[in-house]
Amino acid sequence: MSMVQVMAQTQSGGPRADRTPFYGMRIPEDIKKMVKPANSMDKSVFRKLLQLAVKHLEASEVQEEEFLSLASDKAPVETLRCVFAGILTTVRLAIRAPSSLKADAFKADLI
């Protein structure tokens, strides 16, 4: 068994895959912290945060007002910042992923 196969063991002990996910062997902290708040977040707010992350990566300046306008009782600013950081990390890692990354593998990694 190769080192990659040994390291790809899940907690249950079974092999997960013969490849490394696009985010690496460990899920980055920003992504881990984003999961719970993102699941309870309104989809439209999440989409707007995703648009802001893409805008940021395109080297456009994201205005603080754009970010703060999304805040509400259900999505306070700290929650928005946590989710934004996770989205930004996810998109950056996806962009850096090899061009051989297939859409199905990418979707599986996100689950």
Side-chain angles (χ1 to χ4, degrees):
M1 188 178 279
S2 75
M3 184 63 139
V4 172
Q5 289 171 324
V6 170
M7 295 179 77
Q9 299 291 321
T10 61
Q11 290 178 347
S12 63
R16 183 172 69 186
D18 289 337
R19 63 177 190 79
T20 303
F22 75 92
Y23 50 79
M25 291 305 293
R26 292 187 178 174
I27 299 173
E29 285 299 315
D30 287 343
I31 296 173
K32 282 183 185 179
K33 290 177 184 177
M34 146 182 109
V35 173
K36 190 173 181 178
N39 283 333
S40 61
M41 184 175 282
D42 185 51
K43 286 183 181 182
S44 65
V45 174
F46 186 86
R47 284 185 187 118
K48 288 176 185 172
L49 284 174
L50 180 58
Q51 290 171 346
L52 289 177
V54 170
K55 182 178 178 180
H56 175 76
L57 290 172
E58 291 175 337
S60 297
E61 188 174 332
V62 176
Q63 300 297 320
E64 185 73 15
E65 295 80 33
E66 291 177 280
F67 191 79
L68 295 176
S69 70
L70 300 175
S72 68
D73 291 337
K74 291 182 181 180
V77 174
E78 284 304 313
T79 301
L80 293 174
R81 288 188 176 144
C82 175
V83 173
F84 181 78
I87 290 171
L88 200 56
T89 300
T90 303
V91 173
R92 279 184 178 147
L93 291 171
I95 290 170
R96 274 197 269 159
S99 60
S100 62
L101 180 65
K102 305 277 189 263
D104 293 340
F106 181 70
K107 288 177 187 176
D109 290 348
L110 291 175
I111 293 176

